[in-house]
């Protein structure tokens, strides 16, 4: 049955500065921790990525031609402040003015993220967001941007606070590559949420133009056996790590009793303690009703089983199906033998998980105002032939997720747009260039763009609003 999305629904494409721009040291840009980390640990770098720094007019022209009326972009903090604070790099400042002007020229609304995994290296080496001084530096950088770019109508503080803590301190796939330190995961989450809350309050108090929100990655967690209380508990605990802790901070301005008990249990088993200060909760509480929107990034769901052995996490970075392992002592183990398709990277394809996550926000956090699905898409080993990619699997994936968004809207959720990850092919943080998501195929050698079959399909959906 056909489903209809609202007339004012945004059909967008998503990008991120470090994954798309290239030009990692051009025009005064300061280093980020990823520059060194990729050289030392992976088989690729972010140079030249999709060369968006030079090719953005081409990408925005394609966006306009294919019915895309919104784009997620991020500002590279170290293009503006090469050392994270202090001296301003005006070539970087000017680049973003030009980028935003081109967006508006093409009638593609820019949704601008201030931090998308790329803390300047000097601040990252100094503890990143575990160091409270860096909260101050972030708020100062945000204020500079609010003053400098009144042409922006939609601001996002952070992209994916959850996966930052998880990547840096649990899985160790992001710099500084620390593994299994749950206390650092929660402390990073908490400090970044304090930075978010302070920034939102500053934005509202300053009377700046536009709207502001945050983007959270929300993978839905299900018990492997819903009749087994231990599996139910495993799903609840893993949900606290990835979702509930940051959602509580965003919309409750505190951590619920259930969340705190779960965190205390996880740390009792795995060690470590948190530095949560009364003044932090004043800040969180002051901002809890000020978020104009929540961005949800959703790619997968997970099925959890009770587990009490040693923690072991193996990240599948090569796309060899079955290469993943995820088990945390006293929390649970991720199980793959469920009747759900999965990608070559072991990401479980389950559109209903997006519906459930949207409705969970509506029910548990009724002070949310509106939701954008700010990332969703299929990472695939695209086969380029006849100057295109026949990516029917991607079309099917996006179609099914748009259908459940339409269902959620029918059931009372206020969802205002969808941004496919990604607009064009970009480099993937821990998977390199083989894992592609774009509507437009990028030949990384020539930097030429080619519309995929999915781009033609997406245009039709954008034109008709019928899925």
């Amino acid at each position: 049955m056909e489903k209809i999305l609202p007339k004012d629904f945004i059909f967008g494409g998503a990008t991120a500065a470090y994954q798309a721009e290239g030009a990692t040291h051009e025009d005064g840009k300061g280093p980020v921790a990823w520059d060194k980390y990729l050289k030392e640990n992976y088989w690729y770098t972010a140079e030249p990525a999709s060369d968006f720094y030079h090719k953005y007019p081409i990408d925005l022209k394609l966006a306009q031609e294919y019915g895309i009326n919104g784009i997620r972009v991020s500002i590279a903090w170290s293009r503006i402040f090469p050392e994270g604070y202090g001296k301003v790099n005006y070539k970087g400042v000017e680049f973003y003015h030009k980028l935003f002007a081109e967006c508006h020229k093409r009638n593609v609304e820019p949704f601008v993220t201030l931090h998308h995994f790329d803390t300047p290296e000097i601040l990252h080496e100094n503890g990143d967001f575990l160091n409270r001084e860096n909260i101050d530096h972030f708020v100062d950088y945000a204020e500079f941007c609010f003053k400098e770019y009144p042409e922006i109508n939609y601001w996002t503080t952070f992209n994916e606070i959850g996966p930052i803590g998880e990547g840096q301190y649990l899985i160790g796939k992001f710099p500084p590559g620390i593994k299994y330190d749950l206390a650092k995961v929660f402390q990073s989450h908490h400090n970044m949420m304090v930075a978010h809350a302070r920034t939102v309050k500053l934005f509202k108090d300053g009377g700046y133009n536009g709207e502001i929100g945050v983007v959270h990655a929300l993978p839905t967690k299900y018990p492997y056996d819903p009749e087994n209380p231990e599996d139910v508990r495993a799903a609840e605990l893993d949900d606290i790590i990835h979702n509930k802790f940051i959602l509580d901070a965003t919309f409750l301005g505190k951590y619920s009793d259930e969340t705190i008990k779960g965190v205390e249990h996880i740390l009792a088993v795995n060690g470590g303690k948190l530095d949560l200060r009364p003044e932090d909760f004043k800040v969180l509480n002051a901002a809890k009703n000020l978020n104009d929107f929540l961005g949800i990034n959703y790619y997968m769901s997970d099925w959890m089983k009770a587990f009490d052995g040693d923690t072991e996490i193996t990240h599948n970075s090569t796309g060899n199906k079955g290469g993943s392992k995820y088990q945390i002592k006293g929390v649970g183990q991720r199980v793959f033998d469920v009747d759900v398709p999965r990608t070559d990277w072991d990401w479980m394809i389950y559109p209903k998980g997006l519906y459930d996550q949207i409705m969970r926000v509506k029910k548990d956090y009724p002070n949310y105002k509106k939701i954008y699905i700010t990332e969703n898409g299929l990472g695939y080993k695209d086969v380029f032939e006849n100057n295109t990619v026949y990516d029917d699997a991607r079309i099917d994936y996006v179609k099914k997720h748009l259908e459940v968004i339409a269902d959620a809207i029918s059931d009372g959720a206020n969802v205002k747009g969808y941004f496919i990850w990604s607009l064009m092919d970009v480099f993937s943080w821990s998977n390199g260039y083989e894992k592609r998501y774009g509507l437009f195929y990028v030949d990384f050698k020539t930097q030429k763009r080619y519309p995929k079959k999915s781009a033609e399909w997406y245009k039709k959906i954008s034109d008709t609003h019928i899925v």
Side-chain angles (χ1 to χ4, degrees), residues 4 21 24 26 29 44 54 56 79 120 128 132 155 190 222 229 243 247 252 267 351 416 427 442 458:
I4 298 174
E21 284 178 3
T24 51
E26 201 167 313
K29 182 181 192 279
Y44 51 85
H54 301 106
Y56 69 88
R79 275 203 202 284
D128 206 8
R132 286 173 178 264
W155 290 101
H190 173 79
Y222 299 101
N243 302 322
L247 284 169
L252 303 183
L267 296 185
K416 302 302 281 184
F427 109 87
V442 176
Y458 198 61

Side-chain angles (χ1 to χ4, degrees), residues 182 186 261-273 329-330:
L182 273 301
F186 284 118
K261 278 183 192 146
V263 172
E264 285 171 350
H265 163 77
I266 291 164
L267 296 185
V269 174
N270 293 281
K273 57 184 184 186
K329 187 173 187 178

